[in-house]
Amino acid sequence: AQSVTQLDSQVPVFEEAPVELRCNYSSSVSVYLFWYVQYPNQGLQLLLKYLSGSTLVKGINGFEAEFNKSQTSFHLRKPSVHISDTAEYFCAAPRNTGRRALTFGSGTRLQVQP
Amino acid sequence: DAGVTQSPTHLIKTRGQQVTLRCSPISGHKSVSWYQQVLGQGPQFIFQYYEKEERGRGNFPDRFSARQFPNYSSELNVNALLLGDSALYLCASSLSQGAPNTGELFFGEGSRLTVL
């Protein structure tokens, strides 16, 4: 079964600075990976997904992620963050083939400071 | 178009009580999934329903049950509440039963349950 690990529980960053949120995965089968964002008091929203093809995936709100098979990583990046990016970010993957459910990492809280 | 709607948004129960949470999926979506999100953790999968049948179940005790109605709305029931059941319960809908595997889940804002 796939599992995902988010290495940082909190990431403070100043506005307009670049940011990277780290995610590592384990898998012995095909790899699908996702990043979701949860704004305060809201549900989760899909930011981007990797299913196959180009290893650099672009998502909404200027975020992108790079799938790295050799390092089993799927780190999320943004070159310049805004106050409005303050939220909880979750890396996720399918639980296992046929289960049709996602397993989520423990989350990284991005705190953008002025 | 309305997104996934959940009710109630907040509720407080005491240990041993029972609770029912409700979810209405996006129009046209036939699959509903339930997740539990304990404070400080990622969501944990509880159930998936598709066409009124249970299609998947996570590692939760039998105190947790759910059902899906002909209009594709869903209810999650938790019996004999424990303090550890305090969490945000998220409902997610998708077009097909396989959609979660490709990340196409649309989440509601959740029902926050506090057990005292």
Side-chain angles (χ1 to χ4, degrees):
Chain A
Q2 278 202 48
S3 66
V4 290
T5 303
Q6 293 185 244
L7 302 172
D8 307 295
S9 59
Q10 294 188 59
V11 173
V13 63
F14 288 106
E15 194 173 18
E16 298 184 5
V19 70
E20 178 180 85
L21 307 184
R22 298 182 293 169
C23 172
N24 285 94
Y25 68 91
S26 65
S27 174
S28 59
V29 293
S30 62
V31 178
Y32 292 171
L33 291 164
F34 318 104
W35 276 98
Y36 282 81
V37 60
Q38 185 176 33
Y39 297 105
N41 301 314
Q42 294 188 25
L44 280 74
Q45 179 183 6
L46 181 64
L47 259 183
L48 49 79
K49 60 182 177 181
Y50 173 79
L51 302 180
S52 64
S54 173
T55 57
L56 184 62
V57 180
K58 294 189 181 298
I60 61 173
N61 301 338
F63 283 92
E64 63 182 31
E66 184 166 13
F67 171 68
N68 189 318
K69 188 174 183 178
S70 63
Q71 297 186 6
T72 61
S73 67
F74 189 56
H75 299 336
L76 180 70
R77 302 185 181 103
K78 186 170 183 178
S80 176
V81 295
H82 302 289
I83 296 287
S84 59
D85 292 323
T86 294
E88 192 87 20
Y89 292 80
F90 294 95
C91 185
R95 284 168 60 91
N96 50 42
T97 301
R99 290 298 296 273
R100 308 183 191 96
L102 297 182
T103 184
F104 288 85
S106 55
T108 298
R109 176 154 184 78
L110 176 63
Q111 184 69 44
V112 181
Q113 304 165 0
Chain B
D1 287 341
V4 177
T5 57
Q6 293 186 242
S7 63
T9 55
H10 296 82
L11 68 166
I12 300 173
K13 295 285 187 178
T14 57
R15 282 178 296 176
Q17 286 189 312
Q18 174 265 343
V19 68
T20 298
L21 308 177
R22 296 175 177 82
C23 172
S24 293
I26 292 172
S27 177
H29 285 194
K30 298 182 178 180
S31 175
V32 170
S33 301
W34 288 95
Y35 287 78
Q36 180 197 62
Q37 186 179 13
V38 173
L39 194 63
Q41 297 181 20
Q44 298 288 321
F45 171 67
I46 310 175
F47 288 111
Q48 187 204 30
Y49 275 77
Y50 178 76
E51 292 284 13
K52 303 183 292 294
E53 291 188 7
E54 182 182 307
R55 301 296 181 137
R57 184 184 184 113
N59 297 324
F60 281 81
D62 292 343
R63 299 185 296 107
F64 288 77
S65 63
R67 55 180 176 169
Q68 186 178 34
F69 299 98
N71 65 353
Y72 304 110
S73 66
S74 177
E75 286 183 351
L76 175 70
N77 295 283
V78 186
N79 294 321
L81 286 168
L82 304 173
L83 296 180
D85 295 330
S86 295
L88 180 68
Y89 288 85
L90 294 165
C91 174
S93 75
S94 52
L95 273 172
S96 66
Q97 63 177 344
N101 281 352
T102 55
E104 295 298 336
L105 281 178
F106 296 84
F107 285 84
E109 295 186 356
S111 294
R112 186 166 296 282
L113 170 65
T114 301
V115 182
L116 302 177

PDB file of all heavy atoms in Angstrom, chain A residues 66-82:
ATOM      1  N   GLU A  66       7.145  18.600  -8.356  1.00  0.00           N
ATOM      2  CA  GLU A  66       7.993  17.769  -9.203  1.00  0.00           C
ATOM      3  C   GLU A  66       8.027  16.346  -8.665  1.00  0.00           C
ATOM      4  O   GLU A  66       8.380  16.113  -7.493  1.00  0.00           O
ATOM      5  CB  GLU A  66       9.410  18.319  -9.282  1.00  0.00           C
ATOM      6  CG  GLU A  66      10.301  17.529 -10.246  1.00  0.00           C
ATOM      7  CD  GLU A  66      11.577  18.265 -10.588  1.00  0.00           C
ATOM      8  OE1 GLU A  66      11.895  19.257  -9.906  1.00  0.00           O
ATOM      9  OE2 GLU A  66      12.255  17.840 -11.549  1.00  0.00           O
ATOM     10  N   PHE A  67       7.673  15.404  -9.518  1.00  0.00           N
ATOM     11  CA  PHE A  67       7.739  13.987  -9.170  1.00  0.00           C
ATOM     12  C   PHE A  67       9.169  13.504  -9.405  1.00  0.00           C
ATOM     13  O   PHE A  67       9.710  13.638 -10.510  1.00  0.00           O
ATOM     14  CB  PHE A  67       6.769  13.198 -10.045  1.00  0.00           C
ATOM     15  CG  PHE A  67       6.898  11.710  -9.916  1.00  0.00           C
ATOM     16  CD1 PHE A  67       6.551  11.076  -8.747  1.00  0.00           C
ATOM     17  CD2 PHE A  67       7.377  10.943 -10.974  1.00  0.00           C
ATOM     18  CE1 PHE A  67       6.665   9.702  -8.616  1.00  0.00           C
ATOM     19  CE2 PHE A  67       7.493   9.569 -10.859  1.00  0.00           C
ATOM     20  CZ  PHE A  67       7.139   8.948  -9.681  1.00  0.00           C
ATOM     21  N   ASN A  68       9.780  12.954  -8.366  1.00  0.00           N
ATOM     22  CA  ASN A  68      11.151  12.472  -8.455  1.00  0.00           C
ATOM     23  C   ASN A  68      11.171  11.011  -8.026  1.00  0.00           C
ATOM     24  O   ASN A  68      11.121  10.696  -6.834  1.00  0.00           O
ATOM     25  CB  ASN A  68      12.079  13.315  -7.570  1.00  0.00           C
ATOM     26  CG  ASN A  68      13.547  12.987  -7.794  1.00  0.00           C
ATOM     27  OD1 ASN A  68      13.911  11.811  -7.918  1.00  0.00           O
ATOM     28  ND2 ASN A  68      14.382  14.004  -7.869  1.00  0.00           N
ATOM     29  N   LYS A  69      11.259  10.129  -9.019  1.00  0.00           N
ATOM     30  CA  LYS A  69      11.166   8.702  -8.729  1.00  0.00           C
ATOM     31  C   LYS A  69      12.378   8.208  -7.955  1.00  0.00           C
ATOM     32  O   LYS A  69      12.255   7.389  -7.037  1.00  0.00           O
ATOM     33  CB  LYS A  69      11.013   7.916 -10.030  1.00  0.00           C
ATOM     34  CG  LYS A  69      10.721   6.449  -9.834  1.00  0.00           C
ATOM     35  CD  LYS A  69      10.435   5.762 -11.160  1.00  0.00           C
ATOM     36  CE  LYS A  69      10.083   4.307 -10.942  1.00  0.00           C
ATOM     37  NZ  LYS A  69       9.757   3.632 -12.238  1.00  0.00           N
ATOM     38  N   SER A  70      13.551   8.688  -8.289  1.00  0.00           N
ATOM     39  CA  SER A  70      14.770   8.203  -7.626  1.00  0.00           C
ATOM     40  C   SER A  70      14.806   8.588  -6.150  1.00  0.00           C
ATOM     41  O   SER A  70      15.354   7.852  -5.322  1.00  0.00           O
ATOM     42  CB  SER A  70      16.007   8.733  -8.341  1.00  0.00           C
ATOM     43  OG  SER A  70      16.049  10.145  -8.257  1.00  0.00           O
ATOM     44  N   GLN A  71      14.221   9.718  -5.828  1.00  0.00           N
ATOM     45  CA  GLN A  71      14.186  10.162  -4.429  1.00  0.00           C
ATOM     46  C   GLN A  71      12.832   9.909  -3.781  1.00  0.00           C
ATOM     47  O   GLN A  71      12.633  10.300  -2.624  1.00  0.00           O
ATOM     48  CB  GLN A  71      14.540  11.655  -4.351  1.00  0.00           C
ATOM     49  CG  GLN A  71      15.950  11.967  -4.829  1.00  0.00           C
ATOM     50  CD  GLN A  71      16.337  13.419  -4.611  1.00  0.00           C
ATOM     51  OE1 GLN A  71      15.605  14.183  -4.003  1.00  0.00           O
ATOM     52  NE2 GLN A  71      17.495  13.803  -5.150  1.00  0.00           N
ATOM     53  N   THR A  72      11.925   9.284  -4.478  1.00  0.00           N
ATOM     54  CA  THR A  72      10.553   9.017  -4.015  1.00  0.00           C
ATOM     55  C   THR A  72       9.960  10.255  -3.362  1.00  0.00           C
ATOM     56  O   THR A  72       9.463  10.207  -2.220  1.00  0.00           O
ATOM     57  CB  THR A  72      10.479   7.810  -3.060  1.00  0.00           C
ATOM     58  OG1 THR A  72      11.283   8.065  -1.888  1.00  0.00           O
ATOM     59  CG2 THR A  72      10.944   6.550  -3.746  1.00  0.00           C
ATOM     60  N   SER A  73      10.032  11.369  -4.079  1.00  0.00           N
ATOM     61  CA  SER A  73       9.541  12.617  -3.523  1.00  0.00           C
ATOM     62  C   SER A  73       8.565  13.288  -4.480  1.00  0.00           C
ATOM     63  O   SER A  73       8.561  13.035  -5.682  1.00  0.00           O
ATOM     64  CB  SER A  73      10.701  13.563  -3.218  1.00  0.00           C
ATOM     65  OG  SER A  73      11.328  13.997  -4.415  1.00  0.00           O
ATOM     66  N   PHE A  74       7.749  14.147  -3.907  1.00  0.00           N
ATOM     67  CA  PHE A  74       6.778  14.926  -4.677  1.00  0.00           C
ATOM     68  C   PHE A  74       6.613  16.253  -3.943  1.00  0.00           C
ATOM     69  O   PHE A  74       5.595  16.543  -3.348  1.00  0.00           O
ATOM     70  CB  PHE A  74       5.454  14.161  -4.774  1.00  0.00           C
ATOM     71  CG  PHE A  74       4.448  14.756  -5.729  1.00  0.00           C
ATOM     72  CD1 PHE A  74       4.761  14.988  -7.056  1.00  0.00           C
ATOM     73  CD2 PHE A  74       3.161  15.057  -5.308  1.00  0.00           C
ATOM     74  CE1 PHE A  74       3.833  15.521  -7.947  1.00  0.00           C
ATOM     75  CE2 PHE A  74       2.216  15.592  -6.183  1.00  0.00           C
ATOM     76  CZ  PHE A  74       2.556  15.818  -7.493  1.00  0.00           C
ATOM     77  N   HIS A  75       7.640  17.079  -4.014  1.00  0.00           N
ATOM     78  CA  HIS A  75       7.664  18.332  -3.263  1.00  0.00           C
ATOM     79  C   HIS A  75       6.856  19.419  -3.962  1.00  0.00           C
ATOM     80  O   HIS A  75       6.890  19.543  -5.196  1.00  0.00           O
ATOM     81  CB  HIS A  75       9.096  18.813  -3.064  1.00  0.00           C
ATOM     82  CG  HIS A  75       9.958  17.855  -2.291  1.00  0.00           C
ATOM     83  ND1 HIS A  75       9.450  16.927  -1.413  1.00  0.00           N
ATOM     84  CD2 HIS A  75      11.311  17.695  -2.295  1.00  0.00           C
ATOM     85  CE1 HIS A  75      10.438  16.226  -0.876  1.00  0.00           C
ATOM     86  NE2 HIS A  75      11.587  16.668  -1.400  1.00  0.00           N
ATOM     87  N   LEU A  76       6.181  20.219  -3.173  1.00  0.00           N
ATOM     88  CA  LEU A  76       5.346  21.316  -3.680  1.00  0.00           C
ATOM     89  C   LEU A  76       6.122  22.623  -3.573  1.00  0.00           C
ATOM     90  O   LEU A  76       6.761  22.884  -2.542  1.00  0.00           O
ATOM     91  CB  LEU A  76       4.062  21.397  -2.844  1.00  0.00           C
ATOM     92  CG  LEU A  76       3.052  22.476  -3.226  1.00  0.00           C
ATOM     93  CD1 LEU A  76       2.389  22.142  -4.566  1.00  0.00           C
ATOM     94  CD2 LEU A  76       1.975  22.597  -2.136  1.00  0.00           C
ATOM     95  N   ARG A  77       6.038  23.446  -4.615  1.00  0.00           N
ATOM     96  CA  ARG A  77       6.803  24.687  -4.622  1.00  0.00           C
ATOM     97  C   ARG A  77       5.964  25.839  -5.135  1.00  0.00           C
ATOM     98  O   ARG A  77       5.019  25.656  -5.906  1.00  0.00           O
ATOM     99  CB  ARG A  77       8.052  24.560  -5.514  1.00  0.00           C
ATOM    100  CG  ARG A  77       8.997  23.452  -5.124  1.00  0.00           C
ATOM    101  CD  ARG A  77      10.253  23.471  -5.984  1.00  0.00           C
ATOM    102  NE  ARG A  77      11.157  22.390  -5.640  1.00  0.00           N
ATOM    103  CZ  ARG A  77      11.303  21.276  -6.349  1.00  0.00           C
ATOM    104  NH1 ARG A  77      10.585  21.103  -7.455  1.00  0.00           N
ATOM    105  NH2 ARG A  77      12.137  20.344  -5.954  1.00  0.00           N
ATOM    106  N   LYS A  78       6.333  27.040  -4.663  1.00  0.00           N
ATOM    107  CA  LYS A  78       5.774  28.261  -5.222  1.00  0.00           C
ATOM    108  C   LYS A  78       6.870  29.319  -5.166  1.00  0.00           C
ATOM    109  O   LYS A  78       7.490  29.500  -4.119  1.00  0.00           O
ATOM    110  CB  LYS A  78       4.534  28.715  -4.458  1.00  0.00           C
ATOM    111  CG  LYS A  78       3.828  29.906  -5.109  1.00  0.00           C
ATOM    112  CD  LYS A  78       2.483  30.199  -4.493  1.00  0.00           C
ATOM    113  CE  LYS A  78       1.796  31.347  -5.230  1.00  0.00           C
ATOM    114  NZ  LYS A  78       0.444  31.655  -4.713  1.00  0.00           N
ATOM    115  N   PRO A  79       7.135  30.012  -6.271  1.00  0.00           N
ATOM    116  CA  PRO A  79       8.254  30.950  -6.306  1.00  0.00           C
ATOM    117  C   PRO A  79       8.039  32.211  -5.464  1.00  0.00           C
ATOM    118  O   PRO A  79       9.014  32.811  -5.013  1.00  0.00           O
ATOM    119  CB  PRO A  79       8.391  31.302  -7.787  1.00  0.00           C
ATOM    120  CG  PRO A  79       7.069  30.963  -8.388  1.00  0.00           C
ATOM    121  CD  PRO A  79       6.492  29.854  -7.578  1.00  0.00           C
ATOM    122  N   SER A  80       6.771  32.587  -5.219  1.00  0.00           N
ATOM    123  CA  SER A  80       6.506  33.811  -4.479  1.00  0.00           C
ATOM    124  C   SER A  80       5.133  33.666  -3.802  1.00  0.00           C
ATOM    125  O   SER A  80       4.113  33.633  -4.485  1.00  0.00           O
ATOM    126  CB  SER A  80       6.507  35.016  -5.427  1.00  0.00           C
ATOM    127  OG  SER A  80       6.162  36.195  -4.727  1.00  0.00           O
ATOM    128  N   VAL A  81       5.136  33.582  -2.489  1.00  0.00           N
ATOM    129  CA  VAL A  81       3.879  33.311  -1.785  1.00  0.00           C
ATOM    130  C   VAL A  81       3.179  34.609  -1.395  1.00  0.00           C
ATOM    131  O   VAL A  81       3.802  35.670  -1.258  1.00  0.00           O
ATOM    132  CB  VAL A  81       4.093  32.450  -0.528  1.00  0.00           C
ATOM    133  CG1 VAL A  81       4.588  31.067  -0.923  1.00  0.00           C
ATOM    134  CG2 VAL A  81       5.052  33.115   0.455  1.00  0.00           C
ATOM    135  N   HIS A  82       1.860  34.480  -1.194  1.00  0.00           N
ATOM    136  CA  HIS A  82       1.035  35.592  -0.748  1.00  0.00           C
ATOM    137  C   HIS A  82       0.412  35.257   0.594  1.00  0.00           C
ATOM    138  O   HIS A  82       0.332  34.082   0.981  1.00  0.00           O
ATOM    139  CB  HIS A  82      -0.065  35.866  -1.774  1.00  0.00           C
ATOM    140  CG  HIS A  82       0.448  36.160  -3.140  1.00  0.00           C
ATOM    141  ND1 HIS A  82       1.101  37.321  -3.473  1.00  0.00           N
ATOM    142  CD2 HIS A  82       0.437  35.415  -4.270  1.00  0.00           C
ATOM    143  CE1 HIS A  82       1.441  37.281  -4.747  1.00  0.00           C
ATOM    144  NE2 HIS A  82       1.070  36.127  -5.260  1.00  0.00           N
TER     145      HIS A  82
END
